[in-house]
Amino acid sequence: MLPITDHLEWTGSDDAHGLLLQEKLNTYLSFVESGEMLETCPDAKGRAGLIDVVCKYPLSQQAEAFYTQVAQIVEGAGIKLRHRLFGAG
């Protein structure tokens, strides 16, 4: 599991927020796809990867759309993407 903590609130113009998350997700995708994850964590071999984004604030409609789009890309690389509100499980 690769965690991301998202402490920013989703407000009217979330473009900058989305770009920050996209950069973090791209970093993790590169980490997995390059094989670096298996070098760092050999026990991960054969296991499904999960990027777990824990959000401090509820998602806006734009944020929901962002996660829907990003999940398709991430899962296309063979990694699951989960986003959840902190304290909600």
Side-chain angles (χ1 to χ4, degrees), residues 5-81:
T5 56
D6 181 8
H7 65 285
L8 300 175
E9 189 169 3
W10 291 95
T11 58
S13 177
D14 296 320
D15 293 340
H17 188 169
L19 285 174
L20 287 172
L21 283 172
Q22 189 173 345
E23 287 176 14
K24 291 178 182 184
L25 291 165
N26 286 339
T27 299
Y28 275 158
L29 285 173
S30 294
F31 179 69
V32 172
E33 291 177 332
S34 70
E36 187 178 351
M37 184 176 79
L38 292 178
E39 291 174 15
T40 305
C41 308
D43 292 343
K45 186 173 184 170
R47 295 183 180 187
L50 170 67
I51 298 175
D52 184 31
V53 183
V54 180
C55 305
K56 182 176 180 178
Y57 298 100
L59 303 183
S60 66
Q61 287 183 346
Q62 184 178 352
E64 289 283 358
F66 169 82
Y67 277 110
T68 298
Q69 182 179 13
V70 169
Q72 293 175 352
I73 296 166
V74 170
E75 291 177 9
I79 306 164
K80 294 285 184 191
L81 176 68

